[in-house]
Amino acid sequence: MRVFSDIEEFSSMVGQSLGHSEWHTITQERVQLFADATDDHQWIHLDQEKAAAGPFGGTIAHGYLTLSLIPMFAKDLYSVDGLKMGINYGLNKVRFPQPVRVGSKVRAGAELIELTDVPGGKQAVVRWTIEIDGEAKPACVAETVARLIV
């Protein structure tokens, strides 16, 4: 993990890669917990027998589960010292080019694409590419927007 000493040091990374996270295995238990939390119990996520005969050859993670892993990946990649807090502000773009089969390993790469002044701090736009081990297409590509309060 890279630790930036302050927001000024972090700003030097605009247009550059912040690196890649560790690999994390997507388990059926995690998918079940997400289904329960969101009340999205579609068979492609939970019914292993039916999903085995379905279009993906097995159960898959929810797209929004994949997206929701970004804070975990960020914790692997970087932190910025001297902040009072960081808060999610939104998303610019989100795409799910490839489903994540249960049992797959995923990791994320991040690029700081923009850092602008806002009252109380900076607004960071980070492009995340969530990769699936052994797959050509990513599971998710998303631009997150966060407010970094100094």
Side-chain angles (χ1 to χ4, degrees):
M1 184 205 344
R2 183 160 181 193
V3 178
F4 296 94
S5 60
D6 54 29
I7 197 73
E8 286 76 27
E9 183 182 5
F10 187 59
S11 70
S12 71
M13 295 301 294
V14 172
Q16 297 184 54
S17 171
L18 296 169
H20 286 85
S21 72
E22 299 295 320
W23 290 101
H24 296 271
T25 301
I26 300 301
T27 65
Q28 189 65 54
E29 177 184 20
R30 180 174 283 211
V31 171
Q32 181 68 56
L33 289 168
F34 189 84
D36 292 343
T38 60
D39 204 22
D40 180 354
H41 294 96
Q42 188 176 171
W43 65 268
I44 61 172
H45 306 303
L46 305 177
D47 188 332
Q48 294 179 17
E49 186 176 313
K50 187 173 181 180
F56 307 112
T59 52
I60 61 169
H62 304 73
Y64 288 131
L65 167 56
T66 304
L67 179 66
S68 74
L69 297 175
I70 288 175
M72 176 188 71
F73 294 134
K75 190 174 66 173
D76 281 354
L77 284 180
Y78 69 93
S79 68
V80 181
D81 286 345
L83 299 179
K84 291 180 182 172
M85 69 177 161
I87 55 173
N88 293 324
Y89 192 71
L91 299 160
N92 287 339
K93 297 178 186 176
V94 179
R95 297 292 182 269
F96 302 107
Q98 179 78 20
V100 178
R101 291 196 50 194
V102 169
S104 297
K105 291 182 182 179
V106 295
R107 73 172 183 174
E111 177 188 356
L112 179 61
I113 58 175
E114 186 177 290
L115 193 66
T116 55
D117 291 328
V118 295
K122 300 281 189 180
Q123 178 168 288
V125 179
V126 177
R127 180 179 302 118
W128 293 90
T129 303
I130 301 175
E131 304 168 352
I132 308 166
D133 191 22
E135 295 288 342
K137 287 188 201 176
C140 179
V141 180
E143 288 182 7
T144 60
V145 183
R147 293 282 172 100
L148 306 176
I149 308 304
V150 292

